[in-house]
Amino acid sequence: MFDSFDHQCMTLALQLAEKGMETTDPNPRVGCVLASQGQVLGTGWHKRCGEAHAEVFALAQAGTAAKGATAYVTLEPCSYAGRTPACAPQLIEAGISRLVCAIHDNNPKVNGGGFAQLEKAGIRVDTGLMKQQAESLNAGFFKRMGENKPWVRVKLAQSLDGGIALSNGDSQWISSAASRADVQKWRARSSAVMTGIGTVLSDNPALNVRREADCRQPMRIIVDSHWRTPANARTLELDGKVLIAGREDVEVPAKLRESGAELLPLPAEAERVDLQALMHALCKHSINEIQVEAGATLAGALIAKELVDEVLIYQAPMLLGSGSRQAFGFGPLQDMRDRVQMKWIESIHIGEDLRLRLKPVYGSA
């Protein structure tokens, strides 16, 4: 069905889509290439939410040459008008003869509607080319649309013997400067950065993206069952949106009400915020992808509830010795069948550290 030129064009479309990694949220990252007879006629990528989609830029560049051409798109063209006009009708009007698409859009507002419009207009639609790469590019968007939950990535720095801090809580710095700079990239692509109240009280983190150039700041989320966040916490004094999630049956202090943070009261479970309810609530805020930078309590609770999709570890060449704090506070387990198995995604060197990406495989043991 697909030849080498199809693969070449879709590879380019995916590379274009990746340019929007840090800017399109909460929209998906999408790239488009228009080509005919072995020639690329136009390219485009979605740059920011509320602005033109990838297909619009590619069509504008191709002009009248788009008639009879093939459009290569990393995600099904939208079939409804939102902040911008629908893309499927524009492709039809331009007169393309074929659409090659990596993956369908599981947004209920689309969900095959774009393909149906194109096919009804007599345009050949071929799907599935480089589907896995396209799905990975927008894992958070697909999960939010399909499961009403965001994609959750837990980030941590640890020693070779598994410690994330000394017994007294000191953890600055386990990872190298290169690793800490790399973390900023993962924050920048996220819809939100989440931590727990324990980390706020002990470390007073900023949780923002620290770069010289202006960039989109992800929402900062504090999971704080008893509303203990200090009104002068560092993260509350920075630009950008802060959301504090706490128990709905616990009174919020007046100073916190006046802090400027958005307060999200939620049901309680075992004396803490119901994390399942939190995830569903965050989808109402159009949160696709969360980076969790927290201590063992919150990280362990997320793992125990099978809410973690990916673990990002910066492993430093050092030993912290006995008594050092561990990354995930769940257990103790009494049976190896209850362990949480991990699947390797990648391992690369970042400065002096080893960056590991893993996916929990729940129930595999």
Side-chain angles (χ1 to χ4, degrees):
M1 181 187 295
F2 303 114
D3 60 22
S4 60
F5 185 67
D6 291 335
H7 280 84
Q8 179 182 331
C9 289
M10 187 58 76
T11 297
L12 176 57
L14 287 164
Q15 290 170 348
L16 290 164
E18 196 168 354
K19 289 185 176 184
M21 185 66 75
E22 300 177 2
T23 59
T24 66
D25 194 83
N27 284 0
R29 301 131 184 165
V30 182
C32 177
V33 172
L34 285 171
S36 180
Q37 298 180 341
Q39 296 286 328
V40 172
L41 306 172
T43 62
W45 53 283
H46 182 43
K47 298 178 181 179
R48 290 177 185 83
C49 180
E51 296 184 6
H53 291 185
E55 296 92 328
V56 174
F57 288 109
L59 287 169
Q61 197 176 103
T64 57
K67 188 172 183 179
T70 296
Y72 297 86
V73 190
T74 59
L75 182 68
E76 178 183 358
C78 57
S79 53
Y80 71 99
R83 296 186 185 182
T84 59
C87 292
Q90 294 182 72
L91 291 170
I92 294 169
E93 185 178 352
I96 68 165
S97 62
R98 179 186 179 214
L99 174 79
V100 177
C101 187
I103 192 169
H104 93 284
D105 186 347
N106 66 340
N107 181 344
K109 294 181 179 179
V110 182
N111 202 23
F115 294 153
Q117 287 184 13
L118 291 161
E119 289 176 329
K120 186 177 180 180
I123 295 168
R124 174 182 167 186
V125 175
D126 295 324
T127 64
L129 178 60
M130 304 183 77
K131 177 181 177 180
Q132 185 175 355
Q133 293 92 321
E135 188 173 24
S136 176
L137 191 65
N138 288 301
F141 176 81
F142 288 123
K143 187 175 182 187
R144 175 167 69 91
M145 291 298 168
E147 301 180 32
N148 194 33
K149 294 178 184 177
W151 180 270
V152 177
R153 177 176 56 253
V154 173
K155 186 280 299 182
L156 58 99
Q158 71 175 26
S159 61
L160 290 176
D161 52 350
I164 63 168
L166 300 178
S167 58
N168 62 5
D170 186 9
S171 62
Q172 296 187 345
W173 295 101
I174 292 176
S175 59
S176 65
S179 290
R180 297 196 296 276
D182 190 65
V183 169
Q184 298 304 311
K185 299 177 184 178
W186 290 93
R187 283 186 181 181
R189 64 171 281 172
S190 303
S191 308
V193 179
M194 177 189 289
T195 195
I197 182 59
T199 299
V200 171
L201 295 176
S202 62
D203 298 341
N204 197 18
L207 300 176
N208 63 336
V209 178
R210 293 187 287 278
R211 288 185 177 170
E212 293 180 3
D214 290 337
C215 64
R216 178 191 63 83
Q217 287 291 342
M219 178 189 286
R220 302 187 294 277
I221 302 170
I222 302 171
V223 182
D224 179 7
S225 297
H226 293 86
W227 309 103
R228 294 186 292 153
T229 301
N232 63 348
R234 183 182 176 196
T235 194
L236 298 181
E237 297 175 345
L238 301 174
D239 291 337
K241 189 173 183 179
V242 179
L243 182 148
I244 303 174
R247 284 172 45 179
E248 62 186 7
D249 59 344
V250 176
E251 185 176 355
V252 181
K255 286 187 177 180
L256 198 55
R257 289 188 182 278
E258 299 166 1
S259 67
E262 179 177 349
L263 306 180
L264 179 62
L266 292 167
E269 182 182 37
E271 303 297 316
R272 295 175 180 166
V273 167
D274 184 329
L275 294 176
Q276 295 279 5
L278 172 61
M279 293 301 155
H280 293 315
L282 292 177
C283 282
K284 295 179 181 178
H285 285 73
S286 298
I287 300 295
N288 292 331
E289 183 177 315
I290 298 174
Q291 176 145 313
V292 177
E293 302 186 19
T297 300
L298 179 56
L302 289 166
I303 280 282
K305 290 294 181 181
E306 300 186 359
L307 293 171
V308 177
D309 298 285
E310 185 175 328
V311 179
L312 181 68
I313 301 174
Y314 295 87
Q315 190 169 50
M318 65 175 68
L319 302 173
L320 296 186
S322 59
S324 59
R325 298 186 180 184
Q326 300 297 297
F328 295 97
F330 68 94
L333 305 181
Q334 304 298 324
D335 192 318
M336 280 294 288
R337 288 174 294 184
D338 296 329
R339 71 187 187 274
V340 178
Q341 192 70 36
M342 296 282 178
K343 179 180 179 181
W344 290 104
I345 299 175
E346 69 170 5
S347 61
I348 63 172
H349 280 97
I350 302 289
E352 297 179 351
D353 303 332
L354 186 62
R355 190 186 77 189
L356 310 173
R357 289 178 62 210
L358 307 105
K359 179 179 178 60
V361 185
Y362 300 110
S364 62

